Amino acid sequence: MVVVDSSVWIDYFNGKVTEQTNLLDSLLDSDLVVIGDIILTEVLQGFRDDKDFNKAKGLLDCLLFRPMLGKDIAVKSAQNYRHLRRKGVTVTKTVDVIIATFCIWNNLPLLHSDRDFRPMERHLNLRVMS
């Protein structure tokens, strides 16, 4: 199973061909893609047209769904954020720390195209799909 970040989903729905969107395309045939509530929100909020929103929602509804934030993940995310800050890493998006922490907590790799995850790979041992 693999968690796919909104950075890849956005490229995918915009028809952008990248290494990550090609990998996502192949993963969608395997039923191994996990989507979390936070990522679902990030992806769906970007659609301006109701038709596109509903089409995307239909596709995303077929995926394995997991809630990403509860008390344990919230506390661990805060600890990870503080750990990164002590290492001199400025985290620009708290949601990325939550997503990374969820993946680490559940031992799931993350497919992303967002450089903000690189320090989490290096300092938190976030596994990535490449």
Side-chain angles (χ1 to χ4, degrees), residues 5 7 9 11 49 57 67 69 71 76-77 87 95 99 101 109 124 127:
D5 182 55
S7 57
W9 283 113
D11 286 347
D49 181 71
K57 184 180 175 303
L69 186 62
K71 185 177 180 181
K76 188 61 180 173
S77 294
K87 295 278 187 186
V95 69
I99 292 167
T101 301
L124 300 176
R127 290 180 36 226

Side-chain angles (χ1 to χ4, degrees), residues 13-122:
F13 284 121
N14 285 328
K16 188 174 179 182
V17 178
T18 67
E19 180 182 329
Q20 291 85 2
T21 59
N22 286 337
L23 185 52
L24 172 57
D25 208 31
S26 67
L27 287 169
L28 287 172
D29 290 333
S30 66
D31 293 331
L32 296 177
V33 177
V34 175
I35 191 156
D37 47 8
I38 296 169
I39 295 169
L40 183 63
T41 300
E42 284 188 311
V43 173
L44 291 178
Q45 73 187 4
F47 288 97
R48 294 175 189 226
D49 181 71
D50 287 344
K51 181 180 175 187
D52 293 335
F53 173 91
N54 289 325
K55 185 176 180 180
K57 184 180 175 303
L59 170 70
L60 298 172
D61 279 345
C62 295
L63 302 176
L64 195 58
F65 177 84
R66 295 288 184 265
M68 298 186 92
L69 186 62
K71 185 177 180 181
D72 291 337
I73 298 289
V75 171
K76 188 61 180 173
S77 294
Q79 291 171 330
N80 285 341
Y81 182 95
R82 295 176 70 244
H83 176 77
L84 291 168
R85 189 173 52 197
R86 281 193 302 273
K87 295 278 187 186
V89 175
T90 302
V91 177
T92 57
K93 294 179 268 181
T94 300
V95 69
D96 288 344
V97 178
I98 294 168
I99 292 167
T101 301
F102 171 85
C103 290
I104 295 163
W105 186 277
N106 291 284
N107 197 29
L108 294 171
L110 178 67
L111 176 61
H112 71 87
S113 60
D114 185 340
R115 68 177 185 219
D116 290 335
F117 286 106
R118 289 187 194 135
M120 295 176 238
E121 293 173 40
R122 190 170 34 258

